[in-house]
Amino acid sequence: MHCIAMMSLPDSPPAAPVTVPVPLGSRAYDIIIAPGLLRDAGRQLAPLASTGRVIILADRALQPTHLPPLRNSLAAAGLRVDTVLMNATEEHKNFISLQEILDQLLDLKADRKTLLLALGGGVVGDMAGFAASILLRGVPFVQVPTTLLAQVDSSVGGKTGLNTRQGKNLVGSFCQPRRVLIDPGTLATLPRRQVMAGYAEILKYALIDNRTFFEWLATGNGAAVLDLAPQALTHALATSCRSKAALVVADEHETGVRALLNLGHTFGHAIEAVAGYDNTVLHGEAVALGCLMAFDLSVRLGLCPPDDLRAVTTHQAQLGFATRLSALAPHKHWSPAALLAAMDHDKKTSAGRKMFVLARGIGQAFVARDVDDTPVLATLEALL
Ligand code: GLY
């Protein structure tokens, strides 16, 4: 995922960190955001490693770039550091890799006070979190996300898990990290396509409940975020993490409002499933188009002003997102009926009712389970 060809991270001096609290009672933790934070991780994490023992589970691709500054910082803080590497692709997010990881952690004699660190994107974070939740019936873990998507979404909120042959993330646990360390500098090695995929989740927060944030993104700041301009990026990271934290605190186990985080995901997961999880469509790309589809459906149902759909479409088009399925993956055969059928297998579908997050306008999302297939098919056809 990251470009590792002799690139090194920018040697930016640590900036004043932004702290986003996640006040979950006995499971409360902070998200810390600061350029250069990787080099300050030891000072940040030493108080959490009660026996001074840390094991990093890292994306193998980060070995030359992000791992050394993290290891050095932890060692400089007097911590004993071991590393377990994994191939961080969706195909490796499975029970076989989990078994290998657990074996290595046990061989390293991890104990219940060993602090497990996840260094990488969503695959590493989800696997490390799941391993931490079952190893010795639970060890503390910290997320150090290095992709934009993981920084604004998967590292926050405690969803962990892996894929099975039946689908993605069907096995897992809720297990909150003890801290999330976000160093925007780690994105310097991330391909722009992956940055855009992460941006889809940033846009999602604006569309859910923050019209002011949307207007900020749509007036040039979204482009600055994609260019990794430090101030804009830090503001977008902090705003996104605050949004996510608020929904997680209100509904940690997704029995209510947390489901709003699935805006764009019923369509998005169907797009990914029909694409065959072959990496032609990234999760964030599917979510971006899925958000447009959710707004199109909301307009079709007479819920949302057409101007709001136009504003979201224009913003995405200006940033270079595909606004139709045929542009997203031109060589795929997209059938509305197949996409609709894929939604029946979505884990959000319950008692045969598909779940959609719809909108009464930008920043006014809500959950609906009473949508007929006919307007959904019309949306799929319109955005083919
Ligand atoms: N990524 C959606 C959630 O954490 O609930």
Side-chain angles (χ1 to χ4, degrees):
M1 183 169 292
H2 287 262
C3 300
I4 55 167
M6 301 319 286
M7 281 188 79
S8 60
L9 297 183
D11 207 0
S12 43
V18 176
T19 300
V20 178
V22 187
L24 276 171
S26 59
R27 296 176 307 292
Y29 56 97
D30 284 338
I31 304 163
I32 318 276
I33 305 165
L37 194 55
L38 222 52
R39 292 180 172 79
D40 195 34
R43 196 177 61 82
Q44 289 280 344
L45 299 182
L48 299 182
S50 55
T51 55
R53 181 91 201 279
V54 175
I55 303 181
I56 306 170
L57 175 64
D59 176 348
R60 192 181 301 282
L62 300 181
Q63 215 174 354
T65 51
H66 302 54
L67 189 57
L70 179 61
R71 278 192 70 109
N72 292 342
S73 167
L74 296 167
L79 299 169
R80 184 181 148 207
V81 188
D82 287 294
T83 304
V84 172
L85 299 173
M86 70 170 286
N87 299 324
T89 59
E90 286 290 335
E91 306 85 76
H92 289 94
K93 195 175 139 178
N94 58 22
F95 274 113
I96 296 168
S97 301
L98 179 70
Q99 172 82 62
E100 284 166 8
I101 290 164
L102 291 172
D103 276 345
Q104 290 187 62
L105 293 172
L106 289 168
D107 286 346
L108 286 166
K109 305 219 173 334
D111 67 29
R112 281 192 171 155
K113 292 189 171 160
T114 301
L115 185 65
L116 187 59
L117 257 65
L119 178 72
V123 169
V124 174
D126 284 8
M127 289 287 278
F130 192 38
S133 74
I134 57 175
L135 180 69
L136 306 171
R137 298 203 173 86
V139 300
F141 85 107
V142 165
Q143 293 273 17
V144 188
T146 62
T147 65
L148 186 56
L149 193 132
Q151 291 180 350
V152 295
D153 185 15
S154 58
S155 69
V156 175
K159 278 190 183 174
T160 79
L162 45 76
N163 307 328
T164 65
R165 68 182 165 76
Q166 292 86 354
K168 281 175 70 178
N169 298 323
L170 295 180
V171 173
S173 62
F174 285 100
C175 180
Q176 300 294 342
R178 297 293 167 100
R179 191 153 300 172
V180 181
L181 295 187
I182 299 179
D183 180 348
T186 59
L187 303 178
T189 56
L190 198 65
R192 183 161 174 109
R193 187 176 171 207
Q194 297 283 350
V195 175
M196 286 184 68
Y199 183 86
E201 301 281 359
I202 293 176
L203 177 60
K204 179 190 80 176
Y205 295 114
L207 299 178
I208 290 174
D209 61 5
N210 195 340
R211 190 171 188 118
T212 309
F213 186 37
F214 175 78
E215 277 155 13
W216 182 83
L217 291 169
T219 47
N221 293 299
V225 171
L226 290 181
D227 289 342
L228 306 181
Q231 257 188 317
L233 180 58
T234 300
H235 178 71
L237 288 167
T239 307
S240 301
C241 288
R242 274 188 208 107
S243 285
K244 177 135 193 194
L247 289 169
V248 168
V249 168
D251 175 24
E252 185 179 3
H253 296 116
E254 199 174 300
T255 54
V257 288
R258 183 168 179 163
L260 291 172
L261 293 169
N262 289 313
L263 176 61
H265 282 64
T266 301
F267 287 106
H269 285 152
I271 293 169
E272 288 184 276
V274 170
Y277 302 113
D278 61 357
N279 287 325
T280 51
V281 179
L282 301 178
H283 173 70
E285 292 171 336
V287 168
L289 189 49
C291 285
L292 283 190
M293 289 177 167
F295 269 74
D296 181 279
L297 180 58
S298 302
V299 170
R300 234 165 253 285
L301 294 170
L303 297 163
C304 173
D307 278 354
D308 283 21
L309 169 61
R310 266 192 291 278
V312 183
T313 309
T314 303
H315 176 57
Q316 290 204 17
Q318 278 172 347
L319 294 183
F321 283 93
T323 54
R324 283 178 181 267
L325 273 167
S326 47
L328 184 62
H331 304 299
K332 293 268 175 209
H333 172 68
W334 296 106
S335 134
L339 289 159
L340 192 72
M343 290 176 190
D344 287 329
H345 300 291
D346 195 297
K347 61 180 178 302
K348 299 183 291 305
T349 294
S350 166
R353 302 303 292 169
K354 300 176 186 64
M355 193 212 75
F356 289 95
V357 181
L358 301 177
R360 294 195 175 85
I362 291 169
Q364 298 175 66
F366 66 98
V367 175
R369 284 204 178 269
D370 52 358
V371 182
D372 290 335
D373 286 350
T374 309
V376 177
L377 274 171
T379 286
L380 291 167
E381 268 151 24
L383 294 186
L384 213 57

